[in-house]
Amino acid sequence: MIYKYLLEVKYRIFFSLIAWSFIILNCYYFKETLLYVFIKLSLNPNYTNLLYFLTTDVTEVFSVYVNLSYFIANQTIVLFLGYQLFTFLSTGLYRFEYVYFKIILIMIALYWLIFIAILNVFIFPASWFFFLEFQEFLSSQNLTFYFEAKLNEYITFYKSVYYLCNTIFQIIVVFFIILDLCKANLLILNKFRKVFYFVFFCFATVITPPDIAYQLLTSICIIAIYEITTIYVIFKNELSKTK
């Protein structure tokens, strides 16, 4: 019996490695398109200067392509591994446990997609333009600095912002899961709503540039997720009462 489970684990790990390898190969095949998509995040229609990147090493462009392919493959395979783990454990779960973990997996995937959208549309462009504005400010003060970013440093900066924001968003997801596991009711959510809002604003301050507009926008998005969780608790309580 144990041999069958170990054999299944071996096959799932093997399939995961194959999937990871294919993702890397596909990402490298479309490397120019992916690099253009990542660079497009920092393009501002109102910015008149030409955006370009320096490469000071012969192998730098190749290393950026490989690094970008590994980065996308690693982030994508996490969801695949989560699905593999869920399907492996699903046969030993009760019906209510299966439904509960399925909802958690779907919510984590949805939160991850929402996070990607918020990061690429608001957080990263705001961070890039915030640091880029120092060059224009100093130029107006008769003190000129020419910012010439290296290509690998640009990708490293994006990955740093991504990992920081992703960690904070996942902490929020884990926080909501703990609330649900602790049988949190509406009284607790309403009693500590102001505290939660304050924590959300602190999170938004950490992950966004010191610009009040982006801080408010990020805070509103997190608060919307919080309110959605509250609505979920309401429906869950109503369903439990009807049963």
Side-chain angles (χ1 to χ4, degrees):
M1 191 67 178
I2 298 178
Y3 174 75
K4 293 182 179 179
Y5 286 117
L6 293 178
L7 187 63
E8 183 179 357
V9 171
K10 183 181 71 172
Y11 284 143
R12 290 186 182 276
I13 294 175
F14 178 70
F15 291 147
S16 299
L17 289 175
I18 292 177
W20 180 70
S21 302
F22 273 106
I23 294 173
I24 292 178
L25 292 176
N26 279 278
C27 290
Y28 187 79
Y29 182 78
F30 297 100
K31 53 186 180 298
E32 291 88 0
T33 304
L34 291 175
L35 183 60
Y36 172 75
V37 170
F38 274 80
I39 294 178
K40 190 177 180 181
L41 299 175
S42 59
L43 294 179
N44 188 354
N46 299 325
Y47 191 68
T48 57
N49 295 332
L50 179 63
L51 180 65
Y52 62 94
F53 296 95
L54 295 178
T55 56
T56 58
D57 192 359
V58 177
T59 61
E60 183 173 342
V61 178
F62 173 75
S63 62
V64 167
Y65 287 148
V66 174
N67 191 14
L68 194 60
S69 301
Y70 273 108
F71 172 72
I72 297 175
N74 292 336
Q75 302 310 310
T76 307
I77 203 64
V78 170
L79 295 179
F80 185 79
L81 291 176
Y83 174 76
Q84 291 293 328
L85 180 62
F86 173 74
T87 54
F88 176 73
L89 299 176
S90 60
T91 56
L93 300 176
Y94 291 104
R95 179 64 182 176
F96 72 94
E97 292 175 337
Y98 175 83
V99 174
Y100 181 77
F101 284 110
K102 183 178 180 180
I103 293 175
I104 289 179
L105 186 62
I106 293 175
M107 294 302 294
I108 290 176
L110 289 177
Y111 285 160
W112 183 70
L113 293 176
I114 293 173
F115 154 72
I116 292 295
I118 295 175
L119 173 68
N120 293 333
V121 176
F122 299 108
I123 298 178
F124 180 75
S127 303
W128 179 260
F129 295 140
F130 172 77
F131 292 111
L132 198 63
E133 285 176 354
F134 284 104
Q135 177 181 343
E136 298 179 356
F137 174 76
L138 293 175
S139 298
S140 62
Q141 303 296 324
N142 296 325
L143 182 62
T144 303
F145 285 89
Y146 290 101
F147 174 70
E148 295 181 340
K150 296 181 64 177
L151 185 59
N152 59 348
E153 293 177 353
Y154 176 82
I155 300 299
T156 302
F157 177 69
Y158 178 86
K159 291 170 62 177
S160 301
V161 176
Y162 173 86
Y163 286 128
L164 174 63
C165 298
N166 190 29
T167 301
I168 295 176
F169 269 74
Q170 294 303 323
I171 290 174
I172 296 174
V173 173
V174 172
F175 171 72
F176 288 147
I177 294 175
I178 293 175
L179 281 180
D180 188 67
L181 291 176
C182 295
K183 307 298 182 183
N185 52 37
L186 293 178
L187 293 177
I188 296 177
L189 295 178
N190 291 328
K191 182 178 180 181
F192 295 99
R193 175 176 268 112
K194 294 181 180 179
V195 178
F196 292 151
Y197 281 10
F198 176 76
V199 174
F200 296 155
F201 275 103
C202 291
F203 276 149
T205 303
V206 172
I207 66 177
T208 57
D211 191 337
I212 188 63
Y214 291 103
Q215 292 176 1
L216 288 176
L217 185 60
T218 306
S219 302
I220 290 173
C221 294
I222 300 175
I223 290 172
I225 297 175
Y226 172 81
E227 295 299 335
I228 291 174
T229 305
T230 305
I231 296 173
Y232 166 73
V233 173
I234 294 175
F235 279 106
K236 184 177 180 181
N237 292 336
E238 292 296 331
L239 290 175
S240 61
K241 289 179 182 179
T242 56
K243 292 180 180 179

